[in-house]
Amino acid sequence: MTADNTPNNTQDNTPHNTPYKTLTKEALQAQLDALSEEYARIAAKDLKLNMARGKPAPEQLDLSEPLLDVLSSKTDAALLRKKQADDLRNYGGLTGTPEARALMAAIMDVAPAETIVCDNSSLSVMYDTVARAKTHGIAGQTPWAQLGEPVKFLCPAPGYDRHFALTAHFGIEMILVPTSAEGPDMDFVEQQVNNDASIKGIWCVPKYANPTGVTYSEQTVERFAQLKPAAKDFRLYWDNAYAVHDLTEPGDSLASIKTACEKAGNSDLWYMFASTSKITFAGAGISALASSPKNIAEISEQLALRTIGSDKLNQLRHVLFLKDLDGVRAHMKKHAAIVAPKFTAFLEMLDEGLGDLDIGEWTRPKGGYFISFDGLPNTAKRVVQLAKEAGLTLTDAGATYPYGNDPIDANIRIAPTYPSLDELKEAGKLFVLCVKMASLEVLLREA
Amino acid sequence: MTADNTPNNTQDNTPHNTPYKTLTKEALQAQLDALSEEYARIAAKDLKLNMARGKPAPEQLDLSEPLLDVLSSKTDAALLRKKQADDLRNYGGLTGTPEARALMAAIMDVAPAETIVCDNSSLSVMYDTVARAKTHGIAGQTPWAQLGEPVKFLCPAPGYDRHFALTAHFGIEMILVPTSAEGPDMDFVEQQVNNDASIKGIWCVPKYANPTGVTYSEQTVERFAQLKPAAKDFRLYWDNAYAVHDLTEPGDSLASIKTACEKAGNSDLWYMFASTSKITFAGAGISALASSPKNIAEISEQLALRTIGSDKLNQLRHVLFLKDLDGVRAHMKKHAAIVAPKFTAFLEMLDEGLGDLDIGEWTRPKGGYFISFDGLPNTAKRVVQLAKEAGLTLTDAGATYPYGNDPIDANIRIAPTYPSLDELKEAGKLFVLCVKMASLEVLLREA
C-alpha cells in the first residue's frame, strides 16, 4: 500500500457504527479504503509495541523489590539454619523447605505434604512430569515411550500455547476440546477419557484460563473429579497458574479439585502446578508441584535421581517476603492496581471501536493475564499480520490451538500487562483498526 | 559384643606395626580381641559423625556470605536492566545472561557461546541431558527409548554414585571401566566405544575424580578426543565438578577436552557439566552445561520447550560476587585453607594407623572432595557396617561402582570436608580401627 498524503480521498458516508454484515459491497470497500489510509499513517510511526506474551510490566516487578532485601549476611543464623544439619545454604531439601511448602500449598489450596517446591518455572515442572511419564511411567503403568500406540492428551482450546508445544514435542497426539464459559466441554471429555485408554492426560488452566479468563464452574470441577478414565495413568494436568491473580474484588472462586477427587474416590487423579512467576519475579521465582501423597511419594523417589534439592535460599526469600496466603493476597492487590486499569482500557477500546460492528467477541476476565478475542472466521492470521507490519507484535494466530491450528482462524490472545497504559491505548487503537480491516477484507471476498 | 570394663584382658604382645599378613592365626585373633574392646569403648560414646557425602562444611559456606548482600533494592537499575527488554527480573534468558555465561565458561575453560547457564544442581543438567537423549535423541539419531536394544554407558570406577544411579534409572546398561592414576583404561575404552554402537556415553570426572582424586593425564584426554565411536550419538559426559577445587598450590592441570576434540576433528564429542555448588552455596548455586556450538544449538532448541529461562537474579549475584576466573581462584584458596588441613589430618591418621600393616591403600589428591580407600578384598562392606554401628556414617560400600557392586568389595569413599577437624580426628581413629578389625576378620577366615 502506498502512503497517499491526500486525506479522505475516498468517499465514505456510512455511519461508522453500522454492523458490517449489513453493508453493501461498495460501502465495505469505502470503509476499507478509509481505514487503509489510517493504517498507513499509523504504520509510518514505526511503533514497537509487544503484546505477545503474558509478561509482567516493570512496575509490577518493582512491587517485589523487598525480595532483594529480605535475606542478607545479617539475617538471623537460625532462619538460615546455619548450625543445623539442614543448613539452607547446603545440599538437601529435595521437596523444599517446610515453610516454602506451606506457602506454595496455601496458594494452591492443598496441604504442604502434598507439595514439592521447585526452582524458577512451573513450565519446567510440567515438562518434567510429562518426561517422567514418558520414560518411567506413572503408578507402575508402562512408560509411554514403550507403548506401541501413540499417547493422546485432551487440549481444551483456546488454551496455553506452551502446553501444546511441549505436548507435541513429546510426540503426544493432541485432541481439541471445545470450551465454554463453564470450562471444557465435559460431555466430550467424559466420552473420550472414559473410553479411550490411550488418553493419558488433559491440560487445564482452571482459573482465569489462558487465554479466555474463564474459571471452571463447580460442576465442571466435580465432573473432572468423577471421571472414570480407561487409562490407569490418566491424570489431570491442573495448571493453577492464576490461583491468586484476581483483578476484581471479589474475583472468581475455584472449587478444590483435590477435595472433589477425594470425595469421588479418585484421590490420585490430579497433578497441580503453580509458581510465583507472576507474583514476585518472573525471572527468579519458585514453582511447585502438588498431588496426592501417593503421587508425591512416587515423584519424590524419581526426583531424587535428578537433584539433591532446589534453591532453598530463594525459597526462604519468598517465605520472608510473602509470609502466608494473606501476605500473598495483599501483594496481589498491588498487582491488580497496576494491571486492572490496563484490562479496562483495552476493553473500552474494543467496546468503543468494535461494539456495534458485529465482527468480534471478547472476554471480560476477572483475573489472569489475557483477553481472548474471537473475530470473524479467517481473520485472525490477517489481523496479527497487519498489526505486526504496523509495529504491534501479537501472539501468533493459531497459537492458542493444538498444532498452532485454529480451525476457523478466529482467535487472538491479547496480553495487556506488559505495555504502559499509553502504549496500550496506541496498541488498542491499532488492534481495532486491524480487526476492522481484516473483517472488511473477508466480507468483501464473500460479498 | 559386651562392654567389658577390664582393660587389656587379652594377651597381645605383637608389635602393632607388624604387617597383618605375616601374623599367625593366634596373633591375628589377639589383635582382633584387643581392637574389639577399643571398638566397644568408642561405640559406647554414641558418636554421630557423617562422612557419607561430599558436603561443604558450614565454615566453607560462610565464605560466600557476601553473595547474600551483592544484590539489594539499592542495586543500580542498570545492572538489573530494569529499563530494558531483558530486565533480569522478568521472563527470558534461555541460555543465561551473557555475564553468567562468561563466568561459567571461564570456570569450565570453554567459550561463553558454548555455555548454557542453568539453575542450582549440575546433577539435574546431566539427568536432563540423558533424558533428552532417551526421548528425543542426539543429532538426529534415534531416541534411545525407541531403540530395540538397550543403550550402554561406560562407567569408570570407582566413580560417582549419582552418575551410576541416574544411568540405571534410565535403564541404561553400565559397563565397568578400570581406572588408574592416568584416568580410565583407554585401551578398554577405545576397544568398546569404537566397536559397539550401543555404547552411547561415558561418565568422566576428569579432574580430582570422585572418589579417587585422579586428574586425567594429557594423553588420556587426547585419546578420549581421538575416539572413533561406532555410535554417532556417542558423547563424553565430562563432569568437570572440581575444575577449580585445588587443595594445593599448584594443583593439577587438566588438558582441554574441547581443544583436543577440535584438533581431532571430533568437535561435537563432548558435553561438559559444572556448578558453583562447591564454590558458593551447595543449596543455592548456579550450574552450567557446555558443548560445541552445534550441540548447544540443538540443546537450546529442546530447552525452549521446557523453560523460558533459569533464575537470572542468582546468576547476577554470582557474577557480582565471583566476578571472573581470578575472583573464583582467590575464593577457592579460602576453601582450600579450610579443607586442605582436613585432608592432611585424615591422611596422617591413615598413615600412622595403617601405614605398615599392608591392609589398604589410599589416594592423596591435590584437590576435590574425596579420598579413595582400597582395603583388602571383602572388607569394605564390613568396615562401613562397623563404622555405622559405632556412630560414623560412611558412603555405602559398593556405591562407587555401577549397580552398587564393587566386584572385590574393597573400595570406600572418604569425604573429609563436612566434619570439624576435631570430629574428623575422632572419625579417622574409628575408621582406622574398623579397617583393622575387618581385615583381621578376613585374614582369620582365610588363615
Side-chain angles (χ1 to χ4, degrees):
Chain A
M1 134 190 1
T2 59
D4 188 328
N5 287 322
T6 323
N8 298 320
N9 65 341
T10 309
Q11 207 71 32
D12 175 22
N13 299 317
T14 318
H16 284 273
N17 57 353
T18 311
Y20 279 2
K21 287 168 189 169
T22 67
L23 297 184
T24 63
K25 189 164 183 177
E26 290 67 31
L28 290 170
Q29 187 63 54
Q31 290 255 6
L32 181 58
D33 292 345
L35 295 175
S36 296
E37 288 192 30
E38 193 183 338
Y39 177 84
R41 283 194 297 278
I42 294 180
K45 286 195 208 170
D46 201 22
L47 297 174
K48 281 195 181 63
L49 302 167
N50 196 318
M51 297 179 70
R53 305 299 322 172
K55 222 172 139 174
E59 299 71 33
Q60 291 179 261
L61 300 169
D62 290 345
L63 298 174
S64 295
E65 288 286 293
L67 197 62
L68 298 173
D69 298 325
V70 287
L71 213 55
S72 78
S73 58
K74 292 178 191 67
T75 300
D76 187 352
L79 277 176
L80 285 157
R81 300 182 201 147
K82 286 186 187 175
K83 304 198 171 153
Q84 291 173 232
D86 64 343
D87 187 334
L88 297 187
R89 305 168 304 170
N90 218 328
Y91 287 113
L94 179 67
T95 54
T97 68
E99 298 81 1
R101 294 176 83 182
L103 175 67
M104 293 308 291
I107 290 172
M108 300 167 95
D109 190 19
V110 299
E114 292 165 335
T115 307
I116 297 175
V117 182
C118 306
D119 283 324
N120 188 45
S121 171
S122 61
L123 181 65
S124 299
V125 182
M126 293 185 257
Y127 176 104
D128 290 354
T129 304
V130 173
R132 282 192 305 268
K134 182 111 184 171
T135 54
H136 290 87
I138 292 171
Q141 299 299 300
T142 307
W144 299 347
Q146 288 171 30
L147 293 172
E149 55 172 7
V151 162
K152 298 175 198 149
F153 261 50
L154 297 185
C155 297
Y160 179 30
D161 55 350
R162 292 192 194 270
H163 285 163
F164 303 152
L166 90 80
T167 310
H169 183 63
F170 279 104
I172 296 170
E173 246 181 73
M174 294 183 277
I175 299 171
L176 195 160
V177 178
T179 57
S180 75
E182 301 273 301
D185 178 339
M186 291 310 296
D187 290 340
F188 182 78
V189 169
E190 286 164 0
Q191 190 268 325
Q192 294 282 318
V193 173
N194 296 354
N195 294 296
D196 185 347
S198 69
I199 296 182
K200 303 294 192 187
I202 180 168
W203 288 114
C204 296
V205 183
K207 190 168 179 186
Y208 304 136
N210 175 350
T212 62
V214 159
T215 297
Y216 294 4
S217 69
E218 196 170 339
Q219 205 201 355
T220 298
V221 172
E222 272 177 20
R223 287 179 73 179
F224 266 120
Q226 286 158 9
L227 286 172
K228 303 198 183 323
K232 284 183 187 159
D233 49 356
F234 174 88
R235 293 290 182 271
L236 309 172
Y237 292 73
W238 208 251
D239 184 1
N240 210 348
Y242 307 104
V244 292
H245 302 61
D246 303 322
L247 292 174
T248 58
E249 180 103 19
D252 291 341
S253 131
L254 173 68
S256 162
I257 188 67
K258 168 201 152 174
T259 307
C261 283
E262 283 170 358
K263 269 190 201 158
N266 254 340
S267 301
D268 301 324
L269 198 65
W270 60 286
Y271 288 148
M272 195 187 293
F273 310 94
S275 80
T276 66
S277 293
K278 292 181 178 97
I279 299 175
T280 58
F281 293 136
I286 59 177
S287 64
L289 163 66
S291 193
S292 69
K294 191 176 155 189
N295 287 342
I296 289 294
E298 177 183 57
I299 294 165
S300 301
E301 206 177 306
Q302 295 177 329
L303 214 55
L305 278 304
R306 184 178 180 270
T307 183
I308 304 163
S310 298
D311 185 332
K312 295 189 295 295
L313 294 188
N314 209 30
Q315 292 178 23
L316 177 58
R317 278 186 200 98
H318 279 76
V319 167
L320 293 175
F321 174 52
L322 294 171
K323 294 187 176 70
D324 52 23
L325 191 56
D326 285 343
V328 171
R329 293 209 182 282
H331 182 70
M332 293 313 290
K333 278 189 193 166
K334 298 179 191 169
H335 278 285
I338 296 169
V339 175
K342 295 185 179 180
F343 273 70
T344 304
F346 204 89
L347 288 169
E348 273 172 11
M349 300 190 78
L350 292 178
D351 292 342
E352 282 168 24
L354 302 173
D356 301 313
L357 302 182
D358 200 16
I359 54 173
E361 293 180 338
W362 47 93
T363 56
R364 297 175 185 282
K366 291 187 180 172
Y369 262 62
F370 303 102
I371 295 165
S372 182
F373 179 86
D374 284 303
L376 296 179
N378 304 311
T379 58
K381 279 189 184 150
R382 179 63 177 151
V383 169
V384 171
Q385 182 200 11
L386 283 167
K388 177 93 187 171
E389 288 171 7
L392 167 61
T393 304
L394 296 165
T395 308
D396 280 346
T400 53
Y401 281 80
Y403 306 108
N405 179 27
D406 174 357
I408 60 167
D409 184 28
N411 185 255
I412 297 173
R413 183 178 80 169
I414 296 164
T417 53
Y418 188 72
S420 69
L421 205 48
D422 283 349
E423 288 173 328
L424 197 75
K425 286 176 183 168
E426 203 141 26
K429 192 175 159 186
L430 179 56
F431 180 79
V432 163
L433 181 60
C434 296
V435 170
K436 285 179 172 177
M437 287 173 66
S439 304
L440 288 165
E441 288 171 358
V442 158
L443 292 169
L444 272 166
R445 279 204 299 277
E446 291 168 357
Chain B
M1 115 195 17
T2 57
D4 189 328
N5 287 320
T6 323
N8 298 320
N9 65 340
T10 309
Q11 207 70 32
D12 174 22
N13 299 318
T14 318
H16 284 272
N17 58 354
T18 313
Y20 280 2
K21 287 168 189 168
T22 64
L23 298 184
T24 62
K25 189 164 184 177
E26 290 66 30
L28 290 170
Q29 187 63 55
Q31 290 256 6
L32 180 57
D33 291 345
L35 293 174
S36 296
E37 285 191 31
E38 193 182 340
Y39 177 83
R41 280 194 298 277
I42 294 180
K45 286 195 208 170
D46 200 22
L47 296 175
K48 282 196 181 61
L49 301 167
N50 196 318
M51 297 180 69
R53 305 300 321 172
K55 221 173 142 174
E59 298 71 33
Q60 290 178 262
L61 300 169
D62 290 344
L63 297 175
S64 295
E65 289 285 294
L67 196 63
L68 299 173
D69 298 326
V70 286
L71 212 55
S72 78
S73 58
K74 292 177 191 68
T75 301
D76 187 352
L79 278 176
L80 284 156
R81 300 182 200 147
K82 285 186 186 175
K83 303 198 171 152
Q84 290 173 232
D86 65 343
D87 187 334
L88 297 187
R89 302 168 305 170
N90 217 328
Y91 287 114
L94 180 67
T95 53
T97 68
E99 299 81 1
R101 294 176 84 181
L103 175 67
M104 292 308 291
I107 290 172
M108 299 167 94
D109 190 18
V110 299
E114 293 165 333
T115 308
I116 298 175
V117 182
C118 306
D119 283 324
N120 187 45
S121 172
S122 61
L123 182 65
S124 299
V125 182
M126 293 185 256
Y127 176 104
D128 290 355
T129 304
V130 172
R132 283 192 306 268
K134 182 111 186 174
T135 55
H136 291 87
I138 292 172
Q141 299 299 299
T142 307
W144 300 347
Q146 288 171 30
L147 292 173
E149 55 173 7
V151 162
K152 298 175 198 149
F153 261 50
L154 297 185
C155 298
Y160 179 30
D161 54 350
R162 292 191 195 271
H163 285 164
F164 303 153
L166 90 81
T167 309
H169 182 64
F170 279 104
I172 296 169
E173 248 182 71
M174 295 183 277
I175 299 171
L176 195 159
V177 178
T179 58
S180 74
E182 300 273 302
D185 177 338
M186 291 310 295
D187 289 340
F188 181 78
V189 169
E190 285 164 0
Q191 190 269 324
Q192 294 282 318
V193 172
N194 296 353
N195 293 297
D196 184 348
S198 69
I199 296 182
K200 303 294 190 186
I202 180 167
W203 288 114
C204 296
V205 183
K207 189 167 178 185
Y208 304 136
N210 176 349
T212 61
V214 159
T215 297
Y216 293 4
S217 69
E218 197 171 339
Q219 204 201 357
T220 297
V221 172
E222 272 178 19
R223 287 178 73 179
F224 267 120
Q226 287 159 7
L227 286 171
K228 303 196 184 322
K232 285 183 186 158
D233 49 357
F234 173 88
R235 294 290 181 272
L236 308 172
Y237 291 74
W238 208 251
D239 184 0
N240 210 347
Y242 307 103
V244 292
H245 302 59
D246 302 322
L247 292 175
T248 57
E249 182 100 19
D252 290 343
S253 131
L254 173 68
S256 162
I257 188 67
K258 167 201 153 173
T259 307
C261 283
E262 283 169 358
K263 269 191 201 157
N266 254 340
S267 300
D268 301 324
L269 198 66
W270 58 287
Y271 289 146
M272 196 187 292
F273 310 93
S275 80
T276 65
S277 293
K278 292 180 177 98
I279 298 175
T280 58
F281 293 136
I286 60 177
S287 64
L289 163 67
S291 194
S292 70
K294 190 174 157 191
N295 288 343
I296 288 295
E298 177 182 57
I299 293 165
S300 301
E301 206 177 306
Q302 296 177 328
L303 214 55
L305 278 303
R306 185 179 179 270
T307 183
I308 305 163
S310 298
D311 185 333
K312 295 189 295 296
L313 294 188
N314 209 30
Q315 292 177 24
L316 177 58
R317 278 186 200 99
H318 279 76
V319 167
L320 292 175
F321 174 52
L322 295 171
K323 293 186 178 72
D324 53 22
L325 191 57
D326 283 344
V328 171
R329 292 208 183 283
H331 181 70
M332 292 313 289
K333 280 190 192 164
K334 298 179 190 169
H335 277 285
I338 296 169
V339 175
K342 294 184 180 180
F343 273 71
T344 304
F346 204 90
L347 288 168
E348 273 172 11
M349 299 189 78
L350 293 178
D351 291 344
E352 281 168 25
L354 302 172
D356 301 315
L357 302 182
D358 199 16
I359 55 173
E361 292 179 337
W362 47 94
T363 56
R364 300 175 183 280
K366 290 187 181 172
Y369 262 62
F370 303 103
I371 295 165
S372 182
F373 180 86
D374 284 303
L376 297 179
N378 305 311
T379 57
K381 280 188 185 152
R382 178 63 177 153
V383 169
V384 171
Q385 181 201 11
L386 282 168
K388 177 93 184 171
E389 288 171 7
L392 167 62
T393 305
L394 296 166
T395 308
D396 280 346
T400 53
Y401 281 81
Y403 305 107
N405 179 27
D406 175 356
I408 59 166
D409 183 28
N411 185 255
I412 297 172
R413 182 178 80 168
I414 295 165
T417 54
Y418 189 70
S420 68
L421 205 50
D422 283 349
E423 288 173 328
L424 197 78
K425 286 177 184 167
E426 202 142 25
K429 191 174 158 186
L430 179 56
F431 181 80
V432 163
L433 181 60
C434 295
V435 170
K436 285 180 175 177
M437 286 172 67
S439 305
L440 288 165
E441 287 171 359
V442 157
L443 292 170
L444 273 165
R445 279 204 300 277
E446 291 168 355

